[in-house]
Amino acid sequence: MNKVVVGAQWGDEGKAKITDLLAQNADLIIRYQGGCNAGHTVVAHNKTFKFHLIPSGILYKGKTCFIGAGTVILPEYFEEEIQGLIKEGIDVSGLKINPLASITMPYHTEVDGYSENTATKGKIGTTKKGIGPTYTDKMARIGLKVQDLYSPELSEKLDIILPLKNKTLKEVYGLKTYTKEEVLALCKKYAEIFKPYVCFDWQKVLEDAKRDKKAILFEGAQGVMLDIDYGTYPFVTSSNPIGGGAATGSGYGPAMIDEVIGVAKAYVTRVGEGPFVTELTDKTGDKIREIGHEYGVTTGRARRCGWFDAVIMKYAVLVGGLTSIALTKIDVFDTFDEIKVCTAYKDTRNGEIYTSYPTDVFIHKYLEPVYETHKGWGQDITGITEYGKLPENAKKYLARLEELLEVPISIVSVGPDREQTIFK
Ligand code: GDP
Ligand code: IMO
Ligand code: MG
């Protein structure tokens, strides 16, 4: 069975924990989109590992871990991540980079930083890792791919890219321009960084895995609501975290996918700007943040917290192509008397009720959540590993979410550790 792990909310749902669990039974793990904007935490062997770009499957020996064609790579950050893993004694020999992955150049991070620092209205709150500008150049067909670093035609390619790039850097942003010599020197450095990992025969590796019916795990970053096409645009990232993204970013098509597991928290968090209808700016929000340790892995920013939102989740099931849900962090509610679930939005201008997700995010400021309230279970569930042993109120809560979302909850996570997991 080939599975995709997709974030079902605004990222940080606990995807890495679920990917790590599923990676045990996978042979080939492919990260299909995003870059080092991601921050993925895995707790294993009493250690906490933080990943940005490298698939967390690398923690298991003998797995092939691909950084797929749909990703963007910031070379210096990649090197730092690799060195960190090597220092921890992790064998990184299974890591491979698809030569079609895109490269984040210094001018991309500079433009990202500039746009964020100077925005007054419409600030996105990006991770400033150059993600948007790198994908912009890829789509504009003036990006650099990993394979270009080793091409004898690199100089010719730069003659096409650089005049355009420098004109925008100077005239639009008032930023530093780059000489061809500078860029060639950077490319030489990057070629060395990637050399041990670039897999020029990636087609053969993928073909062999397909023929031999190897178990493939597609690893997503970010989440459906940050998807460039379906998320809370423009407050999104610049790639396709949805299940369909696995079919474009990995090198395999959709027929290779058997299951799409959407990872969702029992509540919702968001980092950065953008609408968030169930956001709690009161003490309850603070309580969720403190108990759930809701601070960003990549930027350290405090995550905005709110109640579970079945409206966005139903939407995520549809557009994300989710076939089941892994519900994480349900233990965060162990001390809560009441737990709310948003089942619809009410438009404060005219009383209209939305049960489907309204995609024009500029009207979200007029929306308020319609909640139903569930009783808490008032006990520590972090040691429970069997569904039947969960308190009745927790089971009722899970059953209600399944009813609302119309997909099964196949995994329930009750703590960060590998062991703190219930397979239903
Ligand atoms: P990702 O980006 O989706 O992989 O998620 P992050 O790693 O950014 O954030 C999820 C955080 O929640 C990490 O610190 C995890 O160790 C932690 N975590 C994952 N699952 C659970 C859970 O079921 N309960 C609790 N309390 N923490 C969890
Ligand atoms: P993981 O994989 C949460 C958010 C940023 C910002 C928006 C655009 O750990 O779930 P970008 O730097 O991508 O251009 O920023 O997307 N964002 C994330 N939020 N988790 C992530 O990754 C994120 N990656 C990007 O905060 O709002
Ligand atoms: Mg994260």
Side-chain angles (χ1 to χ4, degrees):
M1 289 290 259
N2 298 336
K3 299 172 182 172
V4 189
V5 174
V6 171
Q9 295 158 331
W10 277 287
D12 303 327
E13 301 90 346
K15 293 178 293 294
K17 171 181 165 166
I18 303 301
T19 310
D20 171 68
L21 282 171
L22 301 175
Q24 292 181 64
N25 300 319
D27 304 298
L28 174 61
I29 299 128
I30 312 178
R31 166 78 183 268
Y32 59 84
Q33 46 71 234
C36 57
N37 46 350
H40 294 166
T41 318
V42 175
V43 183
H45 314 303
N46 294 320
K47 263 193 194 163
T48 300
F49 296 90
K50 296 195 186 292
F51 296 92
H52 298 285
L53 190 67
I54 296 169
S56 54
I58 203 79
L59 293 178
Y60 299 98
K61 265 199 157 166
K63 313 270 179 197
T64 303
C65 292
F66 253 102
I67 296 178
T71 63
V72 296
I73 313 180
L74 180 58
E76 292 87 353
Y77 217 77
F78 168 80
E79 190 180 27
E80 210 177 288
E81 192 174 349
I82 275 277
Q83 291 310 329
L85 288 171
I86 292 171
K87 221 180 263 166
E88 289 287 340
I90 308 294
D91 174 8
V92 294
S93 59
L95 181 69
K96 296 184 191 298
I97 300 176
N98 189 309
L100 293 176
S102 295
I103 300 173
T104 297
M105 300 297 287
Y107 46 78
H108 292 130
T109 32
E110 284 150 20
V111 167
D112 197 2
Y114 173 90
S115 305
E116 282 294 303
N117 295 339
T118 54
T120 42
K121 266 188 146 181
K123 185 178 152 86
I124 290 166
T126 74
T127 59
K128 297 189 186 170
K129 296 291 186 292
I131 303 294
T134 311
Y135 277 113
T136 302
D137 278 5
K138 167 178 156 172
M139 290 305 183
R141 295 162 291 192
I142 54 165
L144 284 170
K145 288 179 175 266
V146 170
Q147 66 180 13
D148 296 327
L149 302 175
Y150 308 93
S151 166
E153 309 306 318
L154 175 62
S155 170
E156 189 186 324
K157 185 154 188 178
L158 292 182
D159 286 336
I160 303 168
I161 294 174
L162 272 182
L164 269 167
K165 208 62 244 177
N166 279 331
K167 195 170 160 64
T168 358
L169 286 171
K170 186 173 167 209
E171 292 177 19
V172 177
Y173 298 101
L175 289 169
K176 171 186 179 321
T177 55
Y178 283 80
T179 64
K180 189 168 161 186
E181 288 65 39
E182 281 173 314
V183 177
L184 280 170
L186 283 168
C187 288
K188 198 170 161 204
K189 181 173 122 189
Y190 298 162
E192 281 305 308
I193 294 176
F194 295 138
K195 204 160 130 196
Y197 312 104
V198 188
C199 180
F200 284 102
D201 63 350
W202 64 273
Q203 298 171 39
K204 182 171 175 352
V205 178
L206 264 59
E207 271 164 8
D208 288 350
K210 184 178 173 186
R211 189 178 313 109
D212 298 344
K213 302 215 172 340
K214 297 280 189 200
I216 302 157
L217 182 64
F218 301 89
E219 176 177 349
Q222 289 81 51
V224 172
M225 300 313 289
L226 287 170
D227 186 275
I228 185 75
D229 290 306
Y230 295 99
T232 43
Y233 191 88
F235 305 98
V236 292
T237 191
S238 299
S239 65
N240 286 116
I242 53 166
T248 56
S250 66
Y252 285 123
M256 285 291 282
I257 299 168
D258 300 300
E259 269 184 50
V260 184
I261 301 162
V263 186
K265 280 176 191 165
Y267 47 92
V268 182
T269 63
R270 171 160 212 178
V271 246
E273 308 301 317
F276 178 177
V277 177
T278 64
E279 181 171 13
L280 294 165
T281 50
D282 58 2
K283 280 194 179 138
T284 309
D286 295 341
K287 187 174 172 187
I288 294 176
R289 184 176 310 107
E290 291 318 311
I291 299 177
H293 304 294
E294 294 299 351
Y295 296 90
V297 178
T298 302
T299 57
R301 290 178 290 179
R303 294 171 180 156
R304 299 156 65 192
C305 299
W307 293 118
F308 189 89
D309 182 343
V311 179
I312 64 157
M313 279 300 301
K314 271 165 64 182
Y315 178 70
V317 168
L318 178 72
V319 303
L322 312 183
T323 57
S324 71
I325 303 287
L327 197 77
T328 63
K329 303 194 107 165
I330 173 168
D331 55 292
V332 170
F333 288 146
D334 282 357
T335 59
F336 280 59
D337 295 330
E338 286 187 338
I339 299 156
K340 290 189 182 178
V341 172
C342 166
T343 54
Y345 299 156
K346 182 176 170 187
D347 193 325
T348 51
R349 292 170 300 179
N350 52 21
E352 191 182 342
I353 298 288
Y354 296 91
T355 51
S356 290
Y357 171 72
T359 54
D360 176 3
V361 302
F362 286 89
I363 67 151
H364 285 205
K365 55 180 170 289
Y366 305 117
L367 304 180
E368 60 180 34
V370 177
Y371 286 124
E372 59 181 35
T373 304
H374 296 256
K375 279 210 179 85
W377 39 90
Q379 76 177 74
D380 181 349
I381 60 166
T382 56
I384 296 177
T385 51
E386 280 171 49
Y387 184 77
K389 296 204 170 136
L390 280 173
E392 277 314 307
N393 282 352
K395 282 194 262 188
K396 272 190 202 157
Y397 171 71
L398 292 169
R400 176 61 179 147
L401 297 190
E402 283 186 324
E403 184 181 48
L404 284 167
L405 307 183
E406 297 182 57
V407 279
I409 295 174
S410 54
I411 300 173
V412 181
S413 173
V414 293
D417 217 273
R418 277 180 185 167
E419 281 70 40
Q420 293 173 297
T421 313
I422 301 169
F423 288 93
K424 206 172 140 231

